[in-house]
Amino acid sequence: MHSVYDWFRRHRFAVDLVSMAVLWFVAMPLGMARPGAGPGMAHLTATVVFGTALVVPLAWRRTRTLAAGAFVAAAAILQWALAVQPMPADIAVPIVLYALAAFAPRWASLGGLALAMLGAILLVTRFFANLTSSSLASMPYGAVLVLGIWVLVLFSWTAGDLTRTKRLREQALEDRAHRLEIEAQQERELAAGDERARIAREMHDIVAHSLSVIITQADGARYAAAAHPEAAPAALATIAGTGRSSLQEMRRLLGVLRGGADASMRPLPGLSELDELLLGVRAAGLAVSSETTGSARRTLPAGAELTAYRVVQEGLTNVMKHAGPNVQAAVALHWGARGLDVSVRDNGRGASASLADTGGAHDAGTSLPALPASPRSPGGNGLRGMGERVKLYDGTLEAKPLAGGGFGIAAFIPYSEA
């Protein structure tokens, strides 16, 4: 039934044309054989002409409603003016009134209703009763006829208006469903973009940190192979361990992307893994100290802990890449009343590194709007990724050269009150 209804709705003109043809073939014989009609060709001609003029426009009652209503009204007025007797084809008047109420603008619907109410009075006074006569005997009969026609007119108009209300409500629901579909598609696209950005940050953190450690150890092993051969195996072991750890992280990330059931479910790193991170950095040759002060008022979400971990990891990676030789770094975590403060500082070349490095020292702080202006070349995604991570948790990030030399990164991650 649903498919049949859809077919009728898609082929309105064809349905109305068939309905009009059926009504015409029924109304014509009844009009010719109606009792009280005068004999002869004049009666037949008037029946055919006015019956056709009243019924044929119904084929366009839904596709050209205003034109059909105007044509039927003109035919009915001409029929009244020429004193042509009422005929079965006059049923087209309430039918087209229904169409005006259902499909035409509001002004046409109300205008058709008023014209039909007036036409009822004109019809009764011309053909059935003289309401203006001095005799009161014909008054009740004429009034009953007028009221009866008005009931038919009001019924047709009310049914059409209810159809109009239902149609507008269905159209509003369809529009709302279409808007919701568009919004859902946009939300899916935004979610996909956020996921791509998150994956890019994870890839950067894994690859940049691991390669920095591997390159540092590889350089050390190359120099030690000639002067101190006994130190080379330790450097190569560090390279192998770092490579394996990075490979595991990459496999875990790619497994999540593929959605495979065998993907590694090892949890993401958090603050509890900072000691392991610092041990790996110290093994790579960077002197780094750490300090934790205060106590947590409440536990940070896992994503916020991952953000703090990545800030420390990215800061130490930049120190190894850009701070120069014989550098020392310090990592400080302070639990305050509002959240966690994370800082990574070094005593290396600081801002002057950007003048010597073509890749952008410390990943070029100009990529973050909150960073102070400094003569750095644009490039790198480390600070940008950190800024995006911290912003997700309503935090702040500041990265700038230190007054006495070196470079500092400070991040604040508030507690989640949800």
Side-chain angles (χ1 to χ4, degrees), residues 85 218 407:
Q85 290 292 325
F407 197 84

Side-chain angles (χ1 to χ4, degrees), residues 306-319:
L306 174 63
T307 298
Y309 179 91
R310 294 304 188 194
V311 168
V312 175
Q313 183 185 49
E314 180 63 27
L316 295 178
T317 300
N318 284 342
V319 172

